[in-house]
Amino acid sequence: MTWTVAPEPYDSPVAAALWRAYYTEVSDRWYQLHEGRATDPDELEREIAAYPGADLVPPRGRLLVARHGGEPAGSAGFRLLDDTTAELTRVFLYGPMRGRGGAALLVRAAEDAARAVGARRMVLDTRGDLVEARALYARLGYTETEAYNESPYAEHWFHKPLCRES
């Protein structure tokens, strides 16, 4: 089976399902680690509604969806923070799709899309417990950097130049 990656409206049913799965997983991991419980369902609904992804639209952002064998498998998005800096966000693959190359494909597609709108640098933040994500970003050439935001859940910040060498 083959992978494909294409832009997806942030408010499509496919994007909504991926956002719900992503947020449920990262939220449950945080609460299990820090409080020994799953995310409260009401809190989950509030947070999903509070961050619908409306900033992941052209011309200053984009949401991409990967499909494996035609079926939705994951997502990645970016938003421009300024004219030359894009922020990578919502990098996610459904559990059974992991380890098949889809995450790297998504990140590279997001980098290409950001580069196409003028970004010269990609940044991202992540948590310490998301060790798989940190390993992926390091493998793809991202290096840790100083904090660029004050997100209460961010513990690690990464950056990568998007300029191609001549």
Side-chain angles (χ1 to χ4, degrees), residues 8 33 42-43 53-54 62 111 117-118 120 125 129 131:
E8 182 81 20
L33 180 65
D42 291 336
E43 178 184 8
R62 181 147 306 139
E111 291 170 355
V117 297
R120 298 173 57 81
D125 66 53
D129 63 307
V131 294

Side-chain angles (χ1 to χ4, degrees), residues 57-69:
V57 297
R60 298 191 58 82
R62 181 147 306 139
L63 180 68
L64 303 168
V65 167
R67 287 178 168 78
H68 188 259

Side-chain angles (χ1 to χ4, degrees), residues 16-26 92 94:
L18 285 161
W19 174 227
R20 177 173 294 284
Y22 167 87
Y23 196 80
T24 299
E25 182 174 325
V26 298
F92 174 76
Y94 288 125

Side-chain angles (χ1 to χ4, degrees), residues 4 7-8 16 21 26 36 48 53 56 71 74 89 114 120 128 137 157 164:
T4 60
E8 182 81 20
V26 298
I48 288 171
L56 303 179
E71 294 297 317
T89 186
R120 298 173 57 81
Y137 301 135
W157 295 264
R164 294 216 165 108

Side-chain angles (χ1 to χ4, degrees), residues 8-153:
E8 182 81 20
Y10 78 91
D11 56 353
S12 76
V14 167
L18 285 161
W19 174 227
R20 177 173 294 284
Y22 167 87
Y23 196 80
T24 299
E25 182 174 325
V26 298
S27 182
D28 281 353
R29 282 177 72 162
W30 191 89
Y31 279 111
Q32 288 295 342
L33 180 65
H34 296 283
E35 297 183 13
R37 65 174 178 88
T39 308
D40 175 84
D42 291 336
E43 178 184 8
L44 182 68
E45 294 307 316
R46 281 191 309 274
E47 291 300 310
I48 288 171
Y51 301 102
D55 54 348
L56 303 179
V57 297
R60 298 191 58 82
R62 181 147 306 139
L63 180 68
L64 303 168
V65 167
R67 287 178 168 78
H68 188 259
E71 294 297 317
S75 66
F78 80 89
R79 62 181 150 250
L80 288 177
L81 300 179
D82 59 40
D83 289 341
T84 61
T85 304
E87 180 179 44
L88 184 65
T89 186
R90 295 196 186 189
V91 177
F92 174 76
L93 284 175
Y94 288 125
M97 294 291 104
R98 295 175 187 162
R100 300 178 186 198
L105 185 70
L106 273 164
V107 170
R108 288 186 182 115
E111 291 170 355
D112 289 344
R115 193 179 291 112
V117 297
R120 298 173 57 81
R121 178 173 89 117
M122 186 78 85
V123 297
L124 65 94
D125 66 53
T126 192
R127 297 190 328 233
D129 63 307
L130 300 177
V131 294
E132 307 92 339
R134 291 186 5 244
L136 170 70
Y137 301 135
R139 190 169 66 248
L140 294 177
Y142 286 80
T143 56
E144 284 212 52
T145 189
E146 68 282 348
Y148 67 88
N149 64 24
E150 296 180 8
S151 171
Y153 299 106

